[in-house]
Amino acid sequence: MAPRMGRRLRRWLRRPAVAAASDGWGERDHLPAPATTERVLAAAGGADPNVGPAEFATALLIVARDGDPALRAAVVTALGTAGAPWWLAVDQALRQRWWWAPAWSRRLAADLADGEVDELRLVVAGCHHDGRIREAAVVRLADCEHPAAVAVLALRACDWVAEVRSRARSVVEGWPSPPGGPALSTLAELAFALRGRRAGGWLAQRVDQVLRDLPAQRLDPLLSARDRGTRRAAYCAAIAAGQLSLDRLTTAAIREGDLPIRTMCARAAVRAAAGPAHLHAMLASRTALVRAEALQALIVTGDLDVAEAALADRHPLVRGIAQAAVRRTGGDPAEHYRRLAARQAPELGVIAGLEVTGELGVVAGLGETGVADDADVVARWLAHPRARVRAEAIRALRRLGVTRPAELVPMLRDESPAVARQAVASLRGQIGAVAPAVLEGLLDADNPPSLRLAGYRLLIAGDAWQRLATNLRLLGDADERLRASARADVTAWLVREAAATFHEPSRERAAELAGLIEAARPILGDHRAQVLRFHAGLDVLSTRGRR
């Protein structure tokens, strides 16, 4: 049953229209010409990226005021498909645009008190800047179950005005049963989107409770809702109520697009599994947490073969579980990885029986469990045809504590930027082992951008004066990324490190810096150039030279 509109609110709603008629204020609206019908309908659901919330709010007010009943009904229907982000944006825009329609605001207030108001006008009234009009719209929307009406009630249940908020919450609490179909999905989506607001927690908690009490046939559509927050809440309620079969849990654990849902379903499936078949199916999931849950459950049952097979998993979490299981039985995971790594020359492609992800796990696993003596085995994988495996081989060598510049410097020229980045990460710890001339050669303008960037990162990892010289040379470089990086690094060095650099550059480096600073003076500016000369000790050195 709809709540009754109080006398005080009704008197206020009537007053503006009476005052306007008696005083002859002659206020008029300032809304522009209406947009085309097709444009309004296309934008109502938020699907047209060319129409922003402010533009749509203006068109919505015009249609609500001047559109024929058929058009207004069509717009309400389209609004029922809008998502929570669009509703939040349109609600804010409407509150601003209502200031452009003072005359209609007065007429609408009077209609809310005594007249007939259709759903679209109630919807836009529910987004008015005046709290009393919003409150009156909430009272009139109480008996409406259209998704657009439910969306406005959800917004107002989190309203910043206590009276409006209380009215909307009374409507929600007074429903004999929750709205059905798309309206429930809209309510849930907005409730979880509004949860972060100061007054938003009540509605989210209410919806959580509603979902927990829903029967399976009404909860089922929400399991495929577009909003992931709604899907999460629905899955949580369905799992808690035991409404999902083991097959459905397993399918969701493997195929659901949201990681928390996949994890939730995986854990529920593990608890509900009557045998190992479903657990083995979950080992095919693309989510590491799902595979890890299934693997852990299978290991508990005593299936140690699956642990050995999972040693080559692509994710460290799954590999870690498998490695621990093998160690508990007295085995050595490293020996397993060594056997796999030696079965075929990596430059020839995939190991028999393993896909690329399996090869990746073999190389990574040997890096995790092996010793420095395994470096020669791992280094063979630097020639693998797949970039992901080459990058993992460099990372594995680093884990083993082995960095051999003779092998890694050529990897800087790898066609894959990911491989080059891993080579840089390894060589930065051994920068003194690489001749500066080799690194400076990587900065040649003819080299690919990724190779030049690799050389830059290694050069600035040297001593302070090599870093400064490298940056100064690149301040005017044609490559925008290198140029921006060099300018930012000069600034960072001056702000954070220059005052703590106590050693002076060698005479050769000082002469180089003097020339570079003068060449870069138009970019640096006189003040910064002078500060750089001071920190490099160039003025002191020149004075000593004169003496």
Side-chain angles (χ1 to χ4, degrees):
M1 179 180 294
R4 296 177 60 186
M5 192 177 298
R7 291 182 180 179
R8 181 178 299 177
L9 178 58
R10 193 181 298 274
R11 281 200 304 269
W12 185 91
L13 293 169
R14 290 168 177 163
R15 188 182 306 157
V18 173
S22 61
D23 295 347
W25 290 352
E27 281 188 312
R28 62 186 182 87
D29 297 337
H30 300 280
L31 295 171
T36 62
T37 300
E38 294 77 10
R39 188 172 177 82
V40 174
L41 290 172
D48 188 347
N50 298 315
V51 181
E55 179 185 354
F56 173 70
T58 305
L60 187 59
L61 286 177
I62 296 169
V63 170
R65 184 190 64 182
D66 303 329
D68 59 68
L71 175 58
R72 296 203 300 270
V75 171
V76 168
T77 300
L79 279 170
T81 66
W86 183 244
W87 270 112
L88 296 177
V90 170
D91 176 44
Q92 182 178 3
L94 277 171
R95 293 199 303 275
Q96 299 298 321
R97 290 299 184 264
W98 263 116
W99 290 104
W100 296 6
W104 190 38
S105 289
R106 293 176 178 274
R107 294 197 304 272
L108 183 59
D111 290 340
L112 287 170
D114 300 307
E116 292 294 328
V117 186
D118 65 17
E119 283 184 336
L120 181 60
R121 290 177 176 175
L122 289 175
V123 165
V124 295
C127 301
H128 200 279
H129 59 77
D130 192 299
R132 285 160 292 200
I133 292 179
R134 295 199 303 277
E135 183 182 354
V138 166
V139 174
R140 300 289 294 270
L141 283 167
D143 290 330
C144 300
E145 292 192 0
H146 191 281
V150 171
V152 173
L153 289 172
L155 290 166
R156 300 290 68 89
C158 307
D159 200 278
W160 58 96
V161 177
E163 291 81 1
V164 179
R165 190 167 63 242
S166 177
R167 284 278 192 177
R169 292 180 179 183
S170 295
V171 171
V172 174
E173 288 179 327
W175 282 331
S177 63
L184 180 57
S185 180
T186 297
L187 176 67
E189 184 174 347
L190 273 162
F192 298 128
L194 292 163
R195 193 201 300 263
R197 290 192 177 180
R198 185 178 62 180
W202 180 88
L203 185 62
Q205 291 173 5
R206 180 76 181 181
V207 169
D208 274 329
Q209 183 60 52
V210 165
L211 296 184
R212 285 195 292 270
D213 295 338
L214 279 181
Q217 64 271 20
R218 294 196 61 192
L219 187 60
D220 190 70
L222 298 181
L223 298 176
S224 56
R226 66 187 167 193
D227 174 57
R228 63 184 178 184
T230 301
R231 294 202 311 277
R232 286 177 190 174
Y235 268 103
C236 185
I239 290 171
Q243 296 177 358
L244 300 181
S245 67
L246 184 56
D247 285 339
R248 189 156 187 185
L249 286 170
T250 305
T251 300
I254 295 173
R255 298 180 182 175
E256 165 62 41
D258 183 63
L259 173 59
I261 295 176
R262 291 202 299 272
T263 305
M264 188 190 318
C265 291
R267 289 172 178 164
V270 167
R271 291 192 300 267
H278 285 93
L279 296 175
H280 279 284
M282 284 192 290
L283 291 176
S285 172
R286 64 182 183 275
T287 301
L289 280 172
V290 174
R291 299 197 302 276
E293 290 287 338
L295 176 62
Q296 188 70 57
L298 285 167
I299 291 172
V300 169
T301 66
D303 188 351
L304 298 179
D305 290 338
V306 74
E308 185 171 318
L311 285 171
D313 193 275
R314 61 186 178 273
H315 198 279
L317 174 64
V318 183
R319 290 198 302 272
I321 294 173
Q323 291 163 9
V326 170
R327 290 191 185 100
R328 283 196 298 270
T329 62
D332 181 6
E335 285 297 330
H336 179 81
Y337 289 126
R338 291 182 189 114
R339 288 195 300 271
L340 282 176
R343 280 170 56 181
Q344 184 170 334
E347 63 271 12
L348 298 181
V350 179
I351 292 179
L354 286 177
E355 299 295 335
V356 173
T357 53
E359 295 180 296
L360 196 72
V362 168
V363 176
L366 188 52
E368 292 161 351
T369 61
V371 295
D373 290 343
D374 294 314
D376 289 338
V377 177
V378 174
R380 295 170 59 235
W381 293 86
L382 296 174
H384 195 276
R386 298 294 185 103
R388 290 180 62 191
V389 180
R390 297 196 299 274
E392 192 56 54
I394 298 174
R395 189 183 292 112
L397 286 171
R398 192 162 64 245
R399 289 195 186 110
L400 294 173
V402 177
T403 302
R404 297 187 283 212
E407 293 173 332
L408 295 180
V409 168
M411 305 303 292
L412 296 172
R413 297 182 177 273
D414 195 279
E415 61 184 14
S416 168
V419 175
R421 283 194 298 270
Q422 288 300 322
V424 169
S426 293
L427 288 169
R428 282 174 72 93
Q430 300 285 332
I431 195 64
V434 184
V438 173
L439 299 179
E440 289 170 1
L442 301 177
L443 288 177
D444 289 346
D446 295 335
N447 287 334
S450 60
L451 180 58
R452 300 189 70 211
L453 184 62
Y456 170 74
R457 288 174 173 165
L458 289 172
L459 283 167
I460 64 171
D463 67 50
W465 308 119
Q466 178 178 297
R467 172 185 176 184
L468 182 58
T470 302
N471 283 319
L472 289 171
R473 281 198 296 270
L474 295 173
L475 288 179
D477 196 84
D479 187 310
E480 181 179 358
R481 185 177 182 184
L482 281 176
R483 186 170 66 247
S485 297
R487 295 183 181 186
D489 199 47
V490 168
T491 300
W493 183 77
L494 282 173
V495 171
R496 301 189 189 101
E497 301 174 44
T501 303
F502 300 114
H503 67 286
E504 294 181 345
S506 65
R507 287 191 172 273
E508 294 76 9
R509 181 69 79 181
E512 179 189 14
L513 288 172
L516 289 171
I517 291 172
E518 290 308 311
R521 187 177 288 270
I523 299 173
L524 293 168
D526 288 337
H527 174 71
R528 183 164 289 190
Q530 197 60 36
V531 171
L532 285 174
R533 288 183 61 85
F534 168 76
H535 283 297
L538 298 180
D539 295 330
V540 174
L541 288 172
S542 61
T543 301
R544 288 175 181 171
R546 286 196 298 271
R547 288 178 182 174

